[in-house]
Amino acid sequence: MGIFETLTFTLPELALAIGSMALLITGVLLGDKSTPQISYGCVGLLIIALVLTIAGPAPQNPSIFDGAFQIDAFATFAKVIIFAAAAIAILMSHNFVEGEHGRHFEYPVLIVLAAFGMSLMVSASDLISLYMGVETQSLALYILASFNRDSRRSTEAGLKYFVLGALSSGLLLYGASLVYGFSGSTSFEEIARVAAAEEDNVGLIIGLVFLISGLAFKISAAPFHMWTPDVYEGAPTPVTAFFAAAPKLAGMALFARALTVSFPGVLQDWQPVVAMIAIASMVVGAFSAIAQTNIKRLMAYSSIGHMGYALVGLAAGTAQGVSAVLIYMSIYVAMTIGAFACILMMRRRGGMTESIEDLSGLTKTNMPLAVILTVLLFSLAGVPPLAGFFGKWYVFLAAVQADLVWLAVIGVLASAVSAFYYLRIVWFMWFDEPAPAFERDAGPSLRFAAWGSALLMFPVLTVFIGSLRQVAENAAAALF
Amino acid sequence: MIGAIAFYVFALAAVAAGFMVIAARNPVHSVLFLISAFISVAGLFVLMGAEYLAMLLIVVYVGAVAVLFLFVVMMLDVDFVEMKQGFLQYMPIGFALAALVVIELITVLAFWAFPDEATLARAHPVPTAAETVADPNGPTNIEAIGLVLYTDYVHYFQIAGMVLLIAMIGAIVLTFRMREGIKKQDPAAQVARGKDVELVDIGSGQGLS
């Protein structure tokens, strides 16, 4: 296969790479006043990439570039959600980009470049491309975290994220080098062949554990979660909205592919590790969030907990488990975008507010926002018949069918605890004395994101959960 | 024989210098030891026949990266006495972690086995370009890297370019400040002054009257 034919299969990535460079040059020529136009250009670019992902040519053999890059239903599923989430994140940054702190045209371009890195991650089927995809994405995210460079907290968040991210990359590379040393190849499929052929390959398992640690850091699963609350709180809120959605899905997809494609033969070795990480994340997410007063920190702990639930599905190690992970993560991304759209609407004359107390009595001052937030919080808590419930249901079902009943039971208990702090906010909104009202001119994109997300949770996904499940099962089948 | 002696000299020097990087009290000395560690490793590369990598290590790491480190360390003026305040407090947990890693390393080394021919064949069913150039009568180091860099590894090469682009954007976004009120030459504005400027054709040796 010639290089040009190969390149036609990577059209979405090519479009993102070339398009972001073109927009960068345009931005340099026109200056920072062109930021809104560059933003719309970036959104257009992500939509083009999304269309190319769905409609672009598919190769006969899903793996190209000597097995470094995989184009299958699994990658397509993840990429569609990543590109959509990144486009919405840019639209939601409207007020930030117009304001004085975010008025740099590099902001939307960096989000596009992060999406580019994520699409490399979900297609990676080789240890080298895995690492390079992760670094492309992380580097863009470090810059975004400290984007508000005049704020002490934002730069602190960026620095913390960078240092701990570099540490986790070190763990990842250490693990990758051990795996390479003991298997003789960096390709996932060859590693799987060697791992299945040799019993008790201790070096390979130790490498695998380091690999899991590095990846767990990237998706902020406990016990590698310490950076999350600080980074979420310190980074500008639109950036946090982006952090909490697409990168989590990309990291989880990479995690699922790395474990199920390269280590299916040693499931009994990594299953307890993933199960332990899942339990730790669920417990940390459930108990640490109770004492929070800042809503961004609360969302950080909530996302740690959600990673735990998704990992329950991965711990099952079956096609059903991976499809449950995909369903869970896509619902999670939609919920999180909506929740952050609501947080971005918490604006008073003095600027943004982030305290949970500011939501008191929201029903009396701003009924539509209160209704949206209530729906999203119920969905985050996993109350039927909202979509969040189905995500948890499929994950726990996959765990039970893989004989991990105890893990599912712990998951149900943790989600009962976590329901407490979600419902506490609902209580504040409906039954407390009203706090001063928020400003009403939120802008169409935030309203669209919030309403869209709430309507997806109920009733759209409640009705169409079957079709989502079918698509996710189709995608997961590509890995087995 | 001389090869073995050279190997042990370079290897011991690398390990000793590496130890001194973390043991030296003065951070400037640490960076100097880091440079000597790089040079020892470059010697090891030469012994392995990878002379291109050896030169790259010296040019890039010693010539650029380590000198940059040296500048940063000398300019930052960090108070290391203050930084070592909590050292004793964290020592037990540090030792526990170190012991854990040492046990892990011993376990790994105890089970270390070079993959046999069959495993190697399984891992590489089809000889890649990298293997065809590993032949001793084949191309030299640089040719070998050139052969695989743009063929087998073109994907990684391109991604590396994107990573560098992002790093560059980051450095500019986070540090560049447009300063107000600086005077700089604007040729376009000068040329466009138009009728204020008079062009005078002066003959040679006459000067302006």
Side-chain angles (χ1 to χ4, degrees):
Chain A
M1 194 157 53
I3 183 76
F4 288 108
E5 199 190 343
T6 309
L7 285 181
T8 54
F9 303 129
T10 59
L11 278 180
E13 286 76 21
L14 276 183
L16 287 182
I18 297 174
S20 60
M21 285 185 242
L23 285 168
L24 206 57
I25 295 172
T26 320
V28 171
L29 290 177
L30 297 181
D32 282 340
K33 62 178 183 299
S34 64
T35 309
Q37 286 81 2
I38 301 279
S39 294
Y40 288 120
C42 287
V43 173
L45 202 60
L46 285 164
I47 292 171
I48 291 172
L50 201 157
V51 172
L52 286 173
T53 311
I54 299 172
Q60 299 258 302
N61 177 4
S63 102
I64 56 173
F65 291 124
D66 274 326
F69 197 80
Q70 203 85 10
I71 301 163
D72 48 19
F74 182 79
T76 308
F77 182 93
K79 278 181 202 175
V80 166
I81 296 176
I82 288 167
F83 294 154
I88 296 173
I90 296 179
L91 287 175
M92 287 194 340
S93 316
H94 184 71
N95 290 329
F96 175 65
V97 169
E98 298 275 282
E100 53 181 319
H101 297 304
R103 208 174 157 70
H104 289 289
F105 66 87
E106 289 94 344
Y107 175 79
V109 177
L110 280 170
I111 291 188
V112 171
L113 286 170
F116 167 76
M118 287 175 226
S119 93
L120 294 176
M121 279 164 72
V122 297
S123 276
S125 54
D126 185 293
L127 289 176
I128 306 177
S129 54
L130 175 152
Y131 173 68
M132 300 200 79
V134 166
E135 281 306 293
T136 315
Q137 175 236 22
S138 309
L139 209 54
L141 295 188
Y142 302 147
I143 303 167
L144 285 172
S146 48
F147 204 81
N148 190 357
R149 63 184 190 186
D150 296 324
S151 147
R152 202 190 153 95
R153 287 194 342 181
S154 176
T155 44
E156 185 196 324
L159 194 64
K160 215 173 245 176
Y161 194 16
F162 175 69
V163 171
L164 290 175
L167 185 74
S168 82
S169 289
L171 286 179
L172 192 80
L173 280 178
Y174 186 48
S177 64
L178 280 176
V179 169
Y180 173 59
F182 281 93
S183 68
S185 173
T186 54
S187 157
F188 283 2
E189 281 181 26
E190 305 304 335
I191 294 170
R193 233 175 284 181
V194 174
E198 287 176 34
E199 297 287 311
D200 295 331
N201 195 335
V202 179
L204 202 63
I205 302 303
I206 290 183
L208 173 61
V209 171
F210 275 101
L211 207 63
I212 291 178
S213 312
L215 289 174
F217 177 92
K218 300 292 178 196
I219 58 168
S220 78
F224 307 99
H225 64 281
M226 277 76 158
W227 57 278
T228 322
D230 293 345
V231 172
Y232 277 28
E233 193 189 356
T237 313
V239 175
T240 314
F242 178 59
F243 276 12
K248 292 291 163 65
L249 177 96
M252 194 57 87
L254 179 69
F255 211 155
R257 192 195 286 278
L259 287 184
T260 55
V261 174
S262 41
F263 298 99
V266 285
L267 173 68
Q268 74 282 0
D269 286 315
W270 58 260
Q271 191 171 45
V273 180
V274 175
M276 278 304 145
I277 295 177
I279 292 173
S281 307
M282 290 188 294
V283 170
V284 166
F287 286 97
S288 305
I290 293 175
Q292 302 305 321
T293 54
N294 180 305
I295 190 134
K296 278 161 82 181
R297 280 188 94 81
L298 181 114
M299 286 305 290
Y301 282 110
S302 148
S303 93
I304 295 169
H306 283 289
M307 289 308 114
Y309 300 119
L311 284 174
V312 169
L314 186 56
T318 56
Q320 195 195 3
V322 173
S323 82
V325 172
L326 286 180
I327 297 172
Y328 194 92
M329 289 309 295
S330 28
I331 293 173
Y332 164 79
V333 167
M335 287 190 294
T336 310
I337 288 178
F340 272 99
C342 294
I343 294 173
L344 281 165
M345 282 197 252
M346 291 166 61
R347 282 164 62 90
R348 297 229 176 89
R349 200 166 294 271
M352 310 283 298
T353 55
E354 291 170 4
S355 158
I356 292 173
E357 284 175 10
D358 288 315
L359 287 168
S360 305
L362 192 64
T363 43
K364 283 146 201 143
T365 55
N366 193 341
M367 193 62 181
L369 184 59
V371 169
I372 294 172
L373 203 49
T374 307
V375 169
L376 289 172
L377 287 170
F378 270 110
S379 183
L380 281 165
V383 175
L386 288 94
F389 163 75
F390 291 103
K392 289 204 168 90
W393 167 258
Y394 286 126
V395 164
F396 293 147
L397 197 65
V400 168
Q401 297 196 341
D403 291 332
L404 293 172
V405 181
W406 54 279
L407 189 58
V409 169
I410 295 176
V412 172
L413 290 178
S415 70
V417 175
S418 67
F420 164 72
Y421 61 79
Y422 293 123
L423 299 185
R424 194 172 66 113
I425 304 177
V426 174
W427 171 270
F428 279 150
M429 288 195 301
W430 288 80
F431 303 112
D432 242 10
E433 287 302 308
F438 297 128
E439 279 185 10
R440 287 246 172 190
D441 56 337
S445 48
L446 281 182
R447 269 205 297 273
F448 165 76
W451 275 112
S453 161
L455 287 176
L456 263 183
M457 291 311 117
F458 187 82
V460 177
L461 272 180
T462 318
V463 178
F464 291 103
I465 191 77
S467 359
L468 176 66
R469 190 181 170 202
Q470 205 148 27
V471 177
E473 271 173 1
N474 203 6
L479 295 189
F480 289 87
Chain B
M1 180 61 197
I2 190 124
I5 294 173
F7 170 78
Y8 284 113
V9 168
F10 281 128
L12 280 177
V15 173
F19 179 75
M20 287 309 289
V21 172
I22 50 167
R25 287 194 166 267
N26 187 332
V28 178
H29 294 174
S30 288
V31 179
L32 292 176
F33 277 115
L34 188 67
I35 291 174
S36 65
F38 282 144
I39 292 176
S40 319
V41 174
L44 289 177
F45 273 135
V46 171
L47 289 179
M48 288 167 72
E51 62 273 0
Y52 179 65
L53 273 183
M55 293 308 130
L56 214 61
L57 199 68
I58 290 188
V59 173
V60 176
Y61 278 85
V62 178
V65 176
V67 172
L68 202 70
F69 271 13
L70 209 55
F71 270 112
V72 171
V73 167
M74 286 198 287
M75 285 172 128
L76 272 183
D77 188 29
V78 184
D79 189 354
F80 283 89
V81 180
E82 194 183 330
M83 274 178 68
K84 285 181 180 160
Q85 291 281 314
F87 183 68
L88 277 179
Q89 192 186 341
Y90 291 109
M91 205 146 75
I93 193 163
F95 268 114
L97 280 177
L100 201 70
V101 174
V102 167
I103 292 170
E104 277 176 3
L105 277 176
I106 291 171
T107 336
V108 172
L109 287 178
F111 286 92
W112 182 277
F114 284 102
D116 55 13
E117 291 297 314
T119 322
L120 272 179
R122 263 204 312 275
H124 286 293
V126 184
T128 62
E131 279 169 356
T132 46
V133 298
D135 174 16
N137 301 320
T140 64
N141 268 210
I142 305 174
E143 281 173 335
I145 290 175
L147 276 174
V148 291
L149 191 59
Y150 304 105
T151 52
D152 287 356
Y153 297 124
V154 64
H155 182 57
Y156 311 130
F157 186 75
Q158 296 293 336
I159 304 176
M162 291 304 289
V163 171
L164 289 177
L165 174 72
I166 296 174
M168 199 169 76
I169 298 174
I172 294 173
V173 168
L174 297 181
T175 58
F176 179 66
R177 283 171 201 274
M178 195 71 91
R179 284 197 295 169
E180 301 289 332
I182 45 168
K183 296 185 170 69
K184 59 180 179 183
Q185 190 177 17
D186 186 353
Q190 288 174 332
V191 172
R193 274 178 69 192
K195 58 180 180 294
D196 307 349
V197 184
E198 189 184 353
L199 278 179
V200 184
D201 197 5
I202 302 163
S204 75
Q206 286 179 349
L208 277 176
S209 57

